[in-house]
C-alpha cells in the first residue's frame, strides 16, 4: 500500500540558523532526540517512534541528525480521518540540508488505534510544513502492515506529521467539485431573447437552455448578445459571421486556477467566456442571421482536478502555493511548452464531447500520465523554486489519484459525465423586418421556385434513414440545390438550415443558394426523427423554404 509524505521545497544553499524547538505542550509525549549511531536518530512523539537515518556522506559537514517534538500545527487535509502530533527532524544546529536522501520511519506499534484504520481505501499520510507555514510538498511513501511502519525518503528536512487519508472522501470530493462546475441560469433570456432595432426584430434561441444565458441588446444600432455564464466552465466563443468579443473576468481563485490549468493544457484562447463571468458578442452592421457556438475549454475540469486533489490530500496550504506559482508558470515560456502539452493531453477527459463516457481506467490513466508530466516539468527547466514546488506537489497528487480503486474511480467518472453534457452550446440569431415593395431583380429563370434536398451518412439502412455508430454521434450531411425552372440558381443568396429532433435544435448559415460536395453536416447523437428546414433568401429577391426528414436508428 502506498502513502504520502508532504515535504518542504525551495530551501536555500546556506539556510539561516534556526531557533531551538519550543517546549511541547504537556499533552505531547516526546523524548529528547537519541542518536542510535552516527547516521541516525530517533524520537518519540504522541506514542509514535520516529527514526531518521542517512547514508554515509549525506551530511555536508558531518552534522548529526536529531528528532524531537515540534509545536508547529499542521492543518488537517479534508480527507484526513486521524493523525498524530508533529515531529521536527533536523541536521545539525544550523538547519543544514542533506546531500543524499534521508529515510524517515514511523513505528506505529505504540499507536495501534491509528494503524488499525489503514486499509485498501484508507492510506497513511505524512505531511510537513516549513516554520513560516508557506512551504509544502508531496512525495510517495509506503505502509508495511507487518512491521506497522510508514517509510518515506526525502532530501529536505522539516516538521512532519503522520495521518490517515480516506480515499473514499477523496473520490467524493472530486465528484462534488465536478458537479459544482455545473450551473443553471435564472435569467429570463436562458431559452430565448428578443430585441427590436429600428424596424428589425432580432431573436436569439438557445439549443440547450440553462448553463449560459444570452440576452440581445442594441449596441449603438448593431445587434449584440450579452452572455452570462452560470457555470464554472470556460467557453471559447465562435460565431458565423464573426462578431467582436469583449469579456468581464472576475479575478477570483477559481478563475486563476482555471486559467493555470488552461495554460498547462496549452489552450491559448482570446475569445473566452470565463467561469461565472460575462461577455458581449457584437455583430457588424447589417447582420440579420448568425450562429454562435460556445465550446467548453477544458480549463474548469482541469482546475477542479488540481485544486480538489490538493485540498483532499494536503489542505489549503498546498492550494495557496500552487496559486502563488500560477503567474510564474504562465510566464515560464517555451522551456515548459512540451510539459504543458503533455499535461493538456493527459487531462483530455476534461475535453470530452457531450454524451461521451469517461471510464474509471481512462481517468486513472490520465492521472498517472499527469504525474509523469509534472515530474518532467522539473527536469524540463522549472528553474523558479515556487514553480518547481508546485509541479512536485501536483505530481504526487496525480499519482495518488491514479491509484484510486475502481469503485471509487467510478464515482468520479460519473460526475465527469454530467459536466461534459454542457461542453458544447449553440445559439441561433434570426431576424424579421416588415415586407417591402422591392421586386426580384430578375423575373423568370433566376427566381427560385424549387429546392432539391438530399442526405448522406454512413450506415444507411433506407431512404434518409441511418444507424448511429457505436459510441456516436452520426454525422449527417444535408445537400441542397436551388432551381429556377430547370436551371440551377447560383446567384447571391444566404441559406439557413435548422435541424430539429432528438431533443436538440441546431442551426448553420451559408452564403450560397445551395450546399453540396459534401454539403452541410450536423453531428446528431440521439435516435429519432429529425426535420431539417432550409430557408434561402435571395438578395434583391424572395425567400424560399424547403424541408427534409431524416431518421436515425
Amino acid at each position: 500500500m502506498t502513502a504520502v509524505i508532504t515535504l518542504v521545497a525551495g530551501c536555500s544553499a546556506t539556510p539561516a540558523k534556526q531557533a531551538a524547538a519550543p517546549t511541547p505542550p504537556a499533552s505531547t509525549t516526546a523524548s529528547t532526540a537519541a542518536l542510535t549511531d552516527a547516521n541516525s536518530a530517533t524520537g518519540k512523539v504522541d506514542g509514535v517512534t520516529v527514526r531518521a537515518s542517512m547514508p554515509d556522506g549525506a551530511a555536508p559537514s558531518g552534522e548529526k541528525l536529531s528528532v524531537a517534538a515540534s509545536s508547529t500545527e499542521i492543518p488537517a487535509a479534508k480527507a484526513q480521518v486521524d493523525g498524530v502530533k508533529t515531529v521536527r527532524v533536523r541536521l545539525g544546529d544550523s538547519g543544514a540540508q542533506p546531500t543524499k536522501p534521508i529515510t524517515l520511519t514511523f513505528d506505529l506499534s505504540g499507536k495501534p488505534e491509528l494503524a488499525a484504520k489503514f486499509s485498501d481505501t484508507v492510506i497513511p499520510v505524512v505531511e510537513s510544513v516549513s516554520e513560516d507555514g508557506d512551504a509544502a510538498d508531496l512525495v510517495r511513501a509506503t505502509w508495511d502492515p507487518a512491521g506497522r511502519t510508514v517509510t518515506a525518503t526525502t532530501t529536505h528536512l522539516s516538521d512532519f506529521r503522520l495521518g490517515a487519508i480516506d480515499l473514499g472522501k477523496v473520490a467524493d470530493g472530486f465528484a462534488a467539485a465536478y458537479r459544482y462546475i455545473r450551473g443553471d441560469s435564472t435569467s429570463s433570456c436562458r431559452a430565448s431573447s428578443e430585441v427590436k432595432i429600428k424596424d428589425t426584430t432580432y431573436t436569439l434561441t438557445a439549443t440547450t437552455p440553462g448553463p449560459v444565458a444570452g440576452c440581445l441588446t442594441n449596441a449603438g444600432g448593431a445587434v449584440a448578445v450579452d452572455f452570462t455564464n452560470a457555470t464554472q466552465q470556460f467557453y471559447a466563443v465562435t460565431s458565423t459571421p464573426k462578431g467582436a468579443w469583449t469579456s468581464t473576468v472576475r479575478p477570483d481563485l477559481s478563475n486563476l486556477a482555471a486559467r493555470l490549468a488552461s495554460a498547462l493544457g496549452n489552450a491559448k484562447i482570446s475569445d473566452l467566456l470565463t467561469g461565472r463571468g460575462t461577455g458581449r458578442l457584437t455583430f457588424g452592421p447589417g447582420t440579420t442571421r448568425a450562429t454562435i457556438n460556445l465550446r467548453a475549454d477544458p480549463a474548469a475540469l482541469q482546475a477542479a482536478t488540481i485544486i480538489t486533489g490538493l485540498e483532499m490530500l494536503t489542505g489549503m496550504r498546498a492550494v495557496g502555493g500552487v496559486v502563488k506559482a500560477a503567474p510564474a508558470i504562465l510566464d515560464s515560456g517555451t522551456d515548459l511548452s512540451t510539459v504543458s502539452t503533455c499535461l493538456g493531453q493527459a487531462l483530455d477527459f476534461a475535453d470530452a464531447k457531450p454524451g461521451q463516457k469517461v471510464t474509471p481506467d481512462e481517468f486513472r490513466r490520465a492521472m498517472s500520465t499527469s504525474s509523469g508530466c509534472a515530474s518532467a516539468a522539473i527536469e524540463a527547466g522549472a528553474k523558479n523554486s515556487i514553480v518547481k514546488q508546485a509541479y512536485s506537489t501536483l505530481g504526487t497528487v496525480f499519482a495518488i489519484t491514479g491509484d484510486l480503486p475502481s469503485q471509487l474511480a467510478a464515482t468520479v467518472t460519473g460526475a465527469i459525465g454530467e459536466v461534459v453534457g454542457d461542453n458544447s452550446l449553440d445559439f441561433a440569431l434570426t431576424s424579421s423586418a416588415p415586407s417591402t415593395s422591392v421586386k426580384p431583380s430578375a423575373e423568370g429563370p433566376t427566381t427560385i421556385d424549387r429546392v432539391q434536398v438530399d442526405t448522406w451518412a454512413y450506415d444507411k439502412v433506407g431512404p434518409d434513414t441511418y444507424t448511429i455508430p457505436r459510441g456516436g454521434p452520426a454525422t449527417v450531411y444535408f445537400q441542397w440545390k436551388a432551381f429556377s425552372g430547370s436551371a440551377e440558381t447560383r446567384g447571391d443568396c444566404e441559406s439557413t438550415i435548422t435541424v430539429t429532433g432528438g431533443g436538440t435544435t441546431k442551426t448553420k448559415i451559408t452564403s450560397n443558394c445551395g450546399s453540396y460536395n459534401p454539403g452541410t453536416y450536423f453531428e446528431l447523437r440521439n435516435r429519432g426523427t429529425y426535420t431539417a428546414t432550409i430557408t434561402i433568401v435571395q438578395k434583391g429577391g424572395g425567400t424560399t423554404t424547403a424541408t427534409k426528414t431524416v431518421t436515425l436508428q
Side-chain angles (χ1 to χ4, degrees), residues 223-448:
V223 63
V225 185
D226 285 334
F227 286 105
T228 301
N229 188 358
T231 78
Q232 291 283 5
Q233 294 272 44
F234 277 49
Y235 287 98
V237 182
T238 58
S239 64
T240 303
K242 183 175 176 56
W245 175 258
T246 55
S247 64
T248 301
V249 180
R250 300 175 60 185
D252 58 23
L253 172 63
S254 62
N255 276 8
L256 179 57
R259 282 194 173 275
L260 167 61
S262 182
L264 293 176
N266 204 28
K268 311 294 189 206
I269 299 173
S270 56
D271 295 352
L272 196 67
L273 176 62
T274 61
R276 305 279 195 253
T278 60
R280 172 174 288 189
L281 185 64
T282 305
F283 291 98
T287 300
T288 57
R289 294 173 179 269
T291 57
I292 305 167
N293 176 258
L294 305 184
R295 175 62 177 167
D297 182 279
L301 269 173
Q302 291 175 343
T305 302
I306 292 170
I307 297 302
T308 302
L310 292 168
E311 289 178 341
M312 290 294 111
L313 294 168
T314 71
M316 284 302 294
R317 297 182 317 283
V319 175
V322 171
V323 171
K324 184 188 295 184
I329 292 176
L330 293 173
D331 295 336
S332 58
T334 57
D335 58 336
L336 293 179
S337 61
T338 301
V339 176
S340 298
T341 301
C342 175
L343 276 173
Q345 293 172 346
L347 295 174
D348 63 354
F349 69 84
D351 200 24
K353 295 180 179 179
Q356 179 179 338
K357 292 184 178 180
V358 179
T359 68
D361 283 344
E362 288 172 336
F363 175 76
R364 290 182 299 194
R365 185 164 53 250
M367 295 298 99
S368 297
T369 303
S370 297
S371 177
C373 295
S375 298
I378 300 174
E379 300 297 328
K383 299 175 183 178
N384 183 303
S385 61
I386 295 178
V387 174
K388 184 178 293 187
Q389 172 137 355
Y391 277 126
S392 178
T393 302
L394 291 176
T396 302
V397 167
F398 288 138
I400 295 168
T401 309
D403 287 340
L404 283 179
S406 296
Q407 185 175 359
L408 299 183
T411 299
V412 178
T413 56
I416 293 174
E418 296 177 22
V419 177
V420 299
D422 298 334
N423 267 9
S424 184
L425 307 176
D426 293 302
F427 296 80
L429 175 67
T430 57
S431 65
S432 61
S435 59
T436 65
S437 58
V438 177
K439 295 183 179 180
S441 56
E443 299 291 334
T446 60
T447 301
I448 296 173

Side-chain angles (χ1 to χ4, degrees), residues 20-35:
T23 303
S27 60
T28 300
T29 302
S31 69
T32 303
L35 295 177

Side-chain angles (χ1 to χ4, degrees), residues 29 44 61 84 184 203 209 213 264 272 290 330 337 362 386 480 499 501 522 552:
T29 302
K44 195 168 186 177
S61 302
V84 297
D184 191 11
T203 302
L264 293 176
L272 196 67
L330 293 173
S337 61
E362 288 172 336
I386 295 178
W480 68 91
V499 177
F522 291 86
L552 296 183

Side-chain angles (χ1 to χ4, degrees), residues 445-448 481-484 487-491 493 513-514 538:
T446 60
T447 301
I448 296 173
K481 294 181 179 181
F483 292 88
S484 176
E488 183 179 349
T489 302
R490 300 176 182 270
C493 297
C513 298
Q538 292 179 272

Side-chain angles (χ1 to χ4, degrees), residues 144-159:
D144 178 8
R148 290 177 173 257
T149 58
V150 173
T151 304
T153 59
T154 177
T155 57
H156 194 113
L157 300 180
S158 187
D159 290 352

